[in-house]
Amino acid sequence: MTLTVRAAAKVNLALGVGGPRADGFHDLDTVYQAIGLYDDVTVADAASWGVEVRPVGEVDCAGVPLDDDNLAVRAGRLLADHHGVRRAAHLVVDKGIPVAGGLAGGSADAAATLVALDRLWGLHTADDDLLDLAARLGSDVPFALLGGTVRGTGRGEAVEALPAPGSCWWVVLPSAEGLSTPAVYRELDRLRPDAGPPEPPTGLVAALAAGDVTGVGALLANDLQDAALSLRPELAAEARRLRDVHQGPVLLSGSGPTLLAYAATHGDATATRLRLAEAGVTALVAPGPVAGAHVVEPVR
Ligand code: C5P
């Protein structure tokens, strides 16, 4: 028997970052959005834990761990331990989310695995328990369960769905080489040693509630952007190139190095993607918001 669950990439419409906490994390005030790039996780009972990763399209999977460090395997083990079940599973990840790019692909895989094994094994985990387990796996795994548009506080794990009736389009420009998230946070602390609490995204939340797609675009912000650019100066030139061809806001995705262009319509996003293609640059187009982790192939 196998079962497939799909989980989406995330972007941060706003990413406010406070100073470092005693536990090494940073307080965040962020607005997440799930966008239409997906990893599919297919689970099957097995004698021992294992994971296989297969690229979808151009995605380079070289950096994905295939041992117990893989976040999807950790998610499966955590769920089994939580229920005291002695079972294991083989996981196949069909990876459409660029790796180590600030799009939370590993978190998507973890969320998908929690949902898939909960169903496969008939565990009926309560929603709150699933969110708690997700938070133990990573700061943005709870969001990957929910999808949509969500305010994240704490270290990002405290999630609250936001009313956001508007939809939009994203041009996603991945980088050939990933960036380490802890390194980007450390660089931010170095650049900004006296940071206060994160800025609440009040205006953005209001624009989202009003379905004001243009207003949302004007309020996109990412506190990690300067730190990522400091570690990867070539990104500034890539961002300029994207601004040159895109009539709208451009920003870094999460801790980067993926760059995003925001568009109100599919036509605008596609026009930007085509202009990049003319310059020999491959970008993806994805709608937002989309659903969180959900079953696409029931047990068969
Ligand atoms: O929670 P997650 O495992 O995704 O975090 C990866 C790393 O990113 C952490 O080890 C930490 O260095 C950094 N981080 C942080 N503050 C957050 C979230 C992540 O410093 N709120």
Side-chain angles (χ1 to χ4, degrees):
M1 286 205 308
T2 68
L3 183 140
T4 302
V5 171
R6 174 164 292 177
K10 69 96 199 165
V11 299
N12 301 83
L13 306 186
L15 180 48
V17 182
R21 316 193 309 195
D23 64 3
F25 285 87
H26 294 71
D27 274 325
L28 304 184
D29 204 334
T30 188
V31 176
Y32 297 112
Q33 184 167 89
I35 69 166
L37 299 175
Y38 301 101
D39 283 0
D40 283 352
V41 179
T42 300
V43 297
D45 272 307
S48 60
W49 289 99
V51 62
E52 195 181 321
V53 181
R54 307 189 297 206
V56 176
E58 310 266 302
V59 173
D60 175 5
C61 297
V64 181
L66 296 175
D67 55 15
D68 282 2
D69 281 347
N70 185 288
L71 201 55
V73 174
R74 286 173 45 203
R77 285 183 183 276
L78 187 65
L79 185 73
D81 286 351
H82 174 75
H83 289 281
V85 298
R86 291 176 187 280
R87 297 178 81 155
H90 184 73
L91 315 175
V92 178
V93 181
D94 286 303
K95 192 157 260 310
I97 304 176
V99 175
L103 295 164
S107 300
D109 299 348
T113 303
L114 289 175
V115 172
L117 291 178
D118 181 64
R119 285 293 189 91
L120 184 76
W121 292 340
L123 298 171
H124 303 291
T125 315
D127 285 354
D128 282 351
D129 289 350
L130 218 49
L131 286 168
D132 283 348
L133 295 173
R136 286 162 60 185
L137 292 160
S139 305
D140 45 25
V141 182
F143 164 69
L145 286 172
L146 295 185
T149 306
V150 165
R151 175 102 170 251
T153 51
R155 60 182 169 85
E157 90 291 3
V159 287
E160 183 198 342
L162 290 175
S167 58
C168 62
W169 290 86
W170 298 91
V171 183
V172 178
L173 180 55
S175 273
E177 205 186 327
L179 258 179
S180 150
T181 300
V184 174
Y185 275 99
R186 277 197 302 276
E187 179 67 0
L188 179 70
D189 295 340
R190 193 184 69 78
L191 294 174
R192 223 188 45 171
D194 300 315
E199 185 81 28
T202 315
L204 178 65
V205 169
L208 285 164
D212 177 4
V213 175
T214 309
V216 167
L219 291 164
L220 300 174
N222 183 350
D223 280 352
L224 292 178
Q225 188 156 307
D226 289 349
L229 286 167
S230 166
L231 293 179
R232 183 72 62 81
E234 314 87 271
L235 269 180
E238 280 183 49
R240 259 196 310 278
R241 176 154 61 180
L242 190 50
R243 281 201 185 90
D244 285 347
V245 297
H246 182 67
Q247 317 258 336
V250 165
L251 87 163
L252 183 79
S253 181
S255 58
T258 301
L259 292 168
L260 302 168
Y262 174 89
T265 67
H266 181 244
D268 289 347
T270 303
T272 295
R273 185 182 66 72
L274 290 175
R275 281 185 215 113
L276 289 169
E278 280 164 18
V281 177
T282 303
L284 306 160
V285 165
V290 300
H294 60 284
V295 175
V296 286
E297 282 275 356
V299 174
R300 60 181 162 75

